[in-house]
Structures are given as structure tokens and as C-alpha cells.
Amino acid sequence: MAGILIFSDKTNLALELLTAANSISSSNGDIKAVTINNDEQAQALSEAGANVYRINAAELILADVSAVAAALGQAAAELGSDIILLSSNRRGKELAGRLAQVIGAGCLTDVNSLEAADGKTTCNRNALGGATVANQYLKADKQVIAIAPKSFTPAAGGSGSINDLSVEVKPSAVKLLEVKTKAGDSVDIEAAEVLVAVGQGLNSKDDLAMVEELAKLLGGEVACSKPVATDKKWLSEDRVIGLSGKICKPQLAIILGISGQVQFTVGIRDAKTIVSINTDENATINSLSDYVLTTDLHEAVKAMNAALK
Amino acid sequence: MNIVVAMKQIPDLQQIRIRNRQPLFDDVPLTLGTIDKNALEAAVVLKEADESIKVTVLSAGNEEVEDTIKEALAAGADEAFLILDDALEGADSAAIAAVLAAAIKQMDGVDLILFGEGSGDNYSGQVGSRVAELLNLPQVGYVSSMEIKGGQAVVTRTLEDCDEVMEIALPGIISVMAGLNEPRIPSVTQILKAGKKPKEVLELDEVDVDIKKLAFTETISNLAPESNRKKIVVKSVDELLQGLRSENLIGR
Ligand SMILES: Cc1cc2nc3c(=O)[nH]c(=O)nc-3n(C[C@H](O)[C@H](O)[C@H](O)COP(=O)(O)OP(=O)(O)OC[C@H]3O[C@@H](n4cnc5c(N)ncnc54)[C@H](O)[C@@H]3O)c2cc1C
Ligand SMILES: Nc1ncnc2c1ncn2[C@@H]1O[C@H](COP(=O)(O)O)[C@@H](O)[C@H]1O
């Protein structure tokens, strides 16, 4: 039986892939993990039960997708793995298509659940910008599947092994000149029970203060629609809800001045209770909400803060 | 310098209605992916700074692409290169990538190929990476800024936790991030002139790709998730807070 190979640049995501691989391994064979220049990750994976194959080659840099895909292609061939699970973070998504092309595989990305049945590995992923969920499988011997972060819990406990694997490193046509770490706003909106999300209905950056106050009063975090982070740069991208942001499932989501386009709603539709406050009584978000208040968000937030204090 | 921008025709997502959880495409107008428009805008900005740059928009799809692509020609592309066949509509990413790569091989002297980080409807982020491998070119994805210097580009790849400043040798492939620029809206004269810009249209059998062998993805179902929200209309903040309290959602 063909095997499963897992790889992610991020240890926490690699551990999630291990859980995903475990869930389909009975019909797909043994699981092997590859790490690239990351002994710590190799250790963590082996302690979670994986048989790890370490590629340690200083000239192989993660920023060179072409070289990483070539290395993983060799690893898959050598280790006899037909299904490769990657993480669907940006690094993993960029790699997925290239690796699939290297090994002649079919490929699905942004997969948020997996099921092995009747010799198929069926996957759910968002389609049409998030309007629908597509249930798909690959009819190909070789498959590359990139799994959305937090779709599986990280694997823990077990005893694996660490082995070394050497690959030929493809010459590089890219150079990494500089890495700029982003200023530390390490909020985890996916973990929050309460989210107060603001959109382009917010008048100014200064008005964020009262939104933050509301979030604090409710014991939650501030989140936002994408333009608030990418166009206006009022909040960090870590706080974006949606297709290209985070998929959140809080108990309570208060949505302020967000129209509710599918790419946003896909990230919040699993919330238990959704409140929409919007000046437009016909905003799309209203039909996806449990409570709808048609009014200016600034007035509403001030009134809520006063009432909750 | 020749820049190719790969753009996908998609249904206007805002106008897709859902009935019985099924997406309805009747009368939904066709357009080009939002992020693909960012890619085109990036190319047009480079062209404005350097007259010697030629921008070719590349698309594979059904016959209607010929009309849809006018939007890109009006927004600044110099010419279009299209591979049209009804079988290309909804084809596997592997098939589309093979067709695009074959088309690029037929063009002369391509220096830079731009993609979006994801297509508007599928958003799978595969096609650019696959084309890069097919053409054995270097790639950088999630690019939020770029500059061309001599035979190379210096770009910033924006990841979740850091930015990478990269130098990429040309010819090369760059996939741009959503929202890296504000795509221009063409004027009426530009739209009128777009119809006259050169278009090279190929049929599928003019590129040597057997797309049937590349149909890897099987879709079992594609349905909108079920939603049964309460949609309680409240008149005031007090009424809202009362509702939330009664459900034990606040003041715990
Ligand atoms: C491939 C792709 C991926 C994307 N991914 C994401 C994503 O992950 N997350 C995301 O959010 N978007 C994403 N988008 C963008 C998305 O399509 C929308 O453009 C975005 O969600 C709109 O943000 P918004 O609702 O804040 O702004 P708008 O659509 O401009 O809505 C603003 C709302 O505020 C209301 N309003 C105005 N003034 C007030 C006021 N004073 N008080 C109360 N309400 C007011 C208006 O009635 C309106 O409903 C993506 C797009 C693409 C193409
Ligand atoms: N049919 C197509 N024709 C031209 N370009 C395409 C096509 N499909 C995808 N692309 C390009 O590939 C990118 C990634 O698409 P995808 O892999 O579908 O997310 C898009 O943003 C486009 O730039």
C-alpha cells in the first residue's frame, strides 16, 4: 500500500498534518514526515509518533519553492509515498501546485476535512469564494492535499523515529535578501469565544478605541474584514476573518459595518450567535445573523459600552 | 520587455444566488478574477514607467472569454493571447496549467509572467506554481511589492508572520497578493479602443495538451452550507443586550 508523506514549514501545522494523516492511514498506508533544516521540528514530530526523515542541507532554503518541491519530490519517490499532505498556509499553498507538478499529482488546497472511504480520500474545501463547500476527491495515483490550519488538532504522544535523508538540491534562481519579521500582534482570533469584528463602516482609525473597549467588556477580541487590514492598515492581518484570513467559530460574533460578502462570511458562519449592526437594513450580513440592529455602528458601540460598564 | 498576465474568467460572485443550497449561474455576468486584476494593474504600472514593456493578457476558457477579456485590454493590456474551448471551462488546474504553459512557449521572449495568488472562484493557488514547474522557472508567490532591475526582479513575499525580500532571476513567475494595488477602472474611450487591440486566439488542438488525461479532480457535491439564523430584528441597543443576556451570551 502506498504511503502518506507530511511536510509543513511550521511545527504546529506539521503536528496537525500528522493527525490528518492518522485519520486516513488505515486505507492509505504508513505515515512518514519530512523536515527541512529543522531538527526541533523533527524532534517534536517523532515525539508525536511520526517516523521522521530529516533533510539537512544548508543550501536548501524554504523561500525557494522550486528547490523545496524538487527535494520533496525526491523524498516521496524514495520513501514510496503517494499521498502528500502539506499545510495550506501561504508557504504550503505556494508549494502544493509545484510539488504536484513535479510528481505528476492531482492537487487540492485549503482542505478543511478529510475522509478515507472506498479507496478514495474525499476532501471538503470552500468554493465560489466561500459561497459553497465542495466535496471532492482526486482520481490520481499521486495526490497532493494541502490542509487548512486548525482543521485538525495537533498530534501528541507516541514514539516515532528520526532518520536522515539526503536529496540533491536544485540550483537556485532566487535569492533571499532579507527577512522582516512582523511587529508582534500575536492575537489568536480563532481561539476567542467572543469576537467584535469591524469593517469599512468604521469611520476612522481613532474609532477603533471604542471597539476595543467593547471587545474588552465582552471578554473578547477585535477582528476585522480584510480591507480594514490590507487597504486601511488599521489592524494587523492576523485579525482578518474570512477566506484569506481566519475561519472562526466563536460563541458570539458582533459584526459592525461589514457588508457580508461571501469571502468574509465563510470565516464566521460557524459562529454560534451572530449580531449585525449596519446602517443598511438590506446588508447581506443581516440575513446571516441572529440579531440585526439597523443603526450607525459608532452610536451603537458607545451605547453598548455605556450599558456594559 | 514582455510581461504576460494570466487572468481567469469567472462568474461575478456577488451575483450568484443560492436556491436549495445550489448555486445558480443563470444570467450571472462573467468577469475576471479580482486578484488577477491586481496582477494586471501591477504590470500596467511597470509599463507606465517603461514604455518598452509590452503587456499580454493570457487566458484559457470557453468562447465567452473573447468578450470578457476586453475588460483587461481596456485596463491597459496591449494584447490578448487566448486559448478557447468549451472543455476548458471548469477544467482541472493541472489541465489549465498545461495549456497556459504550452501557450507561453509559443510566445517569444517572455520575461515575466504574473498570476493572482488565487482565482476568484476556485482560489486554489495552484496554477501559477504548476506553470512555473512546467516551464522550469523560478517563482515567488504572495508578492506585495515588486521592482524590476536589470535582468531580475526584487519583490516582497508577504507570509503570515514575516516578509521576505527576494531577488528572482528573469524569466520568472510572480503571483501577486490580493489588494496590492487599486486596479484602475477603464474609461469609456479605453473600453471602445479595447476591441481593436490585437488578439491571438488558439483552439485547444493548437496547443499540444491532452486535457482529459489531466482531469484529476472529481466533485461529488458543491452546495451552500445550511444556515438557519434567527434574524431577530431589534430596535435598540437595549433590546439587543436583553436578547444576548437571555441567551447567556453576555454578562457571564
Ligand atoms: C479571493 C478573495 C479573498 C477575500 N478574502 C477576504 C477575507 O478573508 N476576509 C474579508 O473580509 N474579505 C475578503 N475579501 C474581500 C471581500 O470580497 C469584501 O470586499 C470585504 O469583505 C468587504 O469588507 P467590508 O464588509 O468591511 O466592506 P464593505 O463591503 O464596503 O461594507 C461596509 C459596510 O459597512 C456599512 N456601513 C457603512 N457605514 C456604516 C456605519 N456608520 N455604521 C454601520 N454600518 C455602516 C455599509 O452598509 C456596508 O454594509 C476577499 C476577496 C477576494 C476576491
Ligand atoms: N483559466 C485560466 N486562464 C488564465 N489564467 C488562469 C486560469 N486559471 C487560473 N489562472 C491564473 O492562475 C491563478 C491561480 O489560480 P488558481 O490556481 O485557480 O487559484 C489565477 O489568479 C490566474 O492568474
Side-chain angles (χ1 to χ4, degrees), chain B residues 6-8 36 58-60 96 100 115-116 118-119 123-127:
Chain B
M7 299 182 81
K8 184 181 185 186
D36 300 0
L58 169 66
S59 190
I96 294 294
L100 297 180
F115 288 80
S119 56
Y123 195 60
S124 130
Q126 272 185 57
V127 173

Side-chain angles (χ1 to χ4, degrees), chain A residues 91 94 132 261 271 290-291, chain B residues 14 129 164 222 229 232 247:
Chain A
R91 187 79 95 195
E94 193 182 346
T132 56
Q261 295 179 36
D290 298 289
Y291 291 90
Chain B
Q14 290 328 340
S129 292
E164 292 179 339
N222 186 22
R229 293 284 167 186
I232 302 169
E247 290 193 55

Side-chain angles (χ1 to χ4, degrees), chain A residues 7-8 10 12-20 85-90 92-93 96 108-114 123-126 144-154 190 242-249 266, chain B residues 123 160:
Chain A
F7 172 75
S8 172
K10 294 276 180 273
N12 58 333
L13 300 183
L15 290 167
E16 291 175 15
L17 295 181
L18 184 53
T19 306
L85 301 185
L86 302 174
S87 52
S88 217
N89 55 343
R90 288 182 187 161
K93 255 183 110 167
L108 292 172
T109 61
D110 280 337
V111 168
N112 52 42
S113 74
L114 279 182
C123 303
N124 277 336
R125 52 188 302 273
N126 294 314
V144 173
I145 300 174
I147 312 256
K150 307 229 171 157
S151 302
F152 291 85
T153 52
E190 284 155 305
L243 187 65
S244 53
K246 305 270 170 71
I247 307 292
C248 302
K249 301 168 185 172
V266 64
Chain B
Y123 195 60
E160 286 87 350

Side-chain angles (χ1 to χ4, degrees), chain A residues 129 198-203 224-228 232 240-246 256-267 277-281 283-285 293 295-299, chain B residues 13-14 33-35 117-121 123 178:
Chain A
V198 282
Q200 300 205 92
L202 193 72
N203 284 338
C224 61
S225 66
K226 189 173 167 110
V228 171
K232 304 210 146 91
V240 175
I241 292 173
L243 187 65
S244 53
K246 305 270 170 71
L256 305 168
I258 293 178
S259 58
Q261 295 179 36
V262 282
Q263 297 94 348
F264 171 80
T265 56
V266 64
I277 302 181
N278 198 303
T279 40
D280 176 6
E281 65 174 328
T284 313
I285 188 73
L293 176 58
T295 188
D296 173 66
L297 77 89
H298 307 82
E299 295 308 317
Chain B
L13 300 180
Q14 290 328 340
T34 325
I35 311 176
E117 66 165 83
S119 56
D121 52 352
Y123 195 60

